[in-house]
Amino acid sequence: MKIKVGTKFKAIEGLSKGKVFTVIQSDSAVVKYRSEETGEVYTAPRKHFEAYIERVNAYWNATNKAYKHKKSQLRGD
């Protein structure tokens, strides 16, 4: 997976659930990202971060699809 500097994501688990983070540095071993709210910088091994980003993307994709499905049902489509 290609992780670009500047990528923003919203956390889905833990104490920071729902908070926005931005990737500030990425190399073959480690990824650094910063909290938009507090400005704190976090570091994660790239392997674990890639798996986490895949879970984040799947979670928000499912959430958006459920919202759109419910919205269309309420409209009677």
Side-chain angles (χ1 to χ4, degrees):
M1 169 184 264
K2 188 168 186 177
I3 300 173
K4 296 180 183 177
V5 173
T7 301
K8 292 189 177 196
F9 63 95
K10 191 184 277 190
I12 60 170
E13 56 194 29
L15 296 174
S16 61
K17 183 175 182 176
K19 296 195 168 70
V20 179
F21 295 90
T22 304
V23 175
I24 57 173
Q25 183 182 358
S26 175
D27 60 23
S28 62
V30 72
V31 175
K32 290 185 180 181
Y33 53 97
R34 179 178 44 232
S35 169
E36 293 292 319
E37 189 175 299
T38 62
E40 181 114 10
V41 176
Y42 300 95
T43 305
R46 186 176 182 96
K47 181 180 176 182
H48 297 294
F49 187 78
E50 287 176 349
Y52 178 69
I53 288 296
E54 288 177 7
R55 286 196 319 269
V56 167
N57 290 339
Y59 172 82
W60 289 115
N61 187 19
T63 301
N64 290 339
K65 281 185 179 180
Y67 170 78
K68 288 178 183 180
H69 180 69
K70 184 176 180 180
K71 186 176 172 182
S72 70
Q73 281 185 334
L74 290 173
R75 286 185 177 170
D77 293 347

